[in-house]
Amino acid sequence: IDLVKTYTGLDSTEGIQDIVVSEPMISSQAFSLILVKCENAIKADEIAAKMNESVNPNKWICVSAEKVYSTSSGDVAMLVMASEDWAKPVYDKFKELAGSVGNEYERNGF
């Protein structure tokens, strides 16, 4: 659960089936993309909101994420955090590929 908290900000894996994380091992750019497969669409929206609220955009030693975006599509919750220039295009592409999304959540990182 420690790694789940570090990557997603979530305190529990209840209702979660799978988690996929994309982050560079070493980089001068803060970037994190998280996909969470949930038990249903309602849970996916809850997870998207909770991740946006709880994930730590300052979790890296030397860099911080400027923007945090999250949403859900069907039973998948998605979060991306990085600089605005990196996060927004990834977020927009997810919405385009998903076709339809649930509630959208956004906050400033630092």
Side-chain angles (χ1 to χ4, degrees):
I1 193 76
D2 287 342
L3 281 177
V4 171
K5 175 82 172 168
T6 299
Y7 286 120
T8 67
L10 301 172
D11 293 321
S12 169
T13 57
E14 182 182 337
I16 294 175
Q17 296 176 351
D18 294 299
I19 299 174
V20 176
V21 177
S22 175
E23 290 186 354
M25 293 290 285
I26 298 173
S27 177
S28 61
Q29 171 66 46
F31 179 82
S32 183
L33 172 63
I34 302 154
L35 299 173
V36 179
K37 181 157 175 48
C38 303
E39 62 188 20
N40 58 49
I42 293 170
K43 189 66 173 178
D45 183 63
E46 292 172 7
I47 294 292
K50 182 67 174 168
M51 286 193 304
N52 194 282
E53 172 186 306
S54 302
V55 74
N56 181 3
N58 302 306
K59 69 180 183 173
W60 299 278
I61 294 170
C62 297
V63 294
S64 297
E66 179 183 17
K67 294 296 280 189
V68 180
Y69 295 100
S70 65
T71 191
S72 61
S73 180
D75 62 355
V76 174
M78 175 269 197
L79 178 136
V80 62
M81 63 179 173
S83 68
E84 177 75 15
D85 292 345
W86 285 44
K88 185 71 168 138
V90 171
Y91 183 65
D92 289 343
K93 185 53 106 173
F94 175 83
K95 293 189 303 182
E96 177 187 324
L97 293 172
S100 65
V101 296
N103 293 320
E104 296 184 53
Y105 305 96
E106 173 184 341
R107 73 177 167 110
N108 292 326
F110 48 75

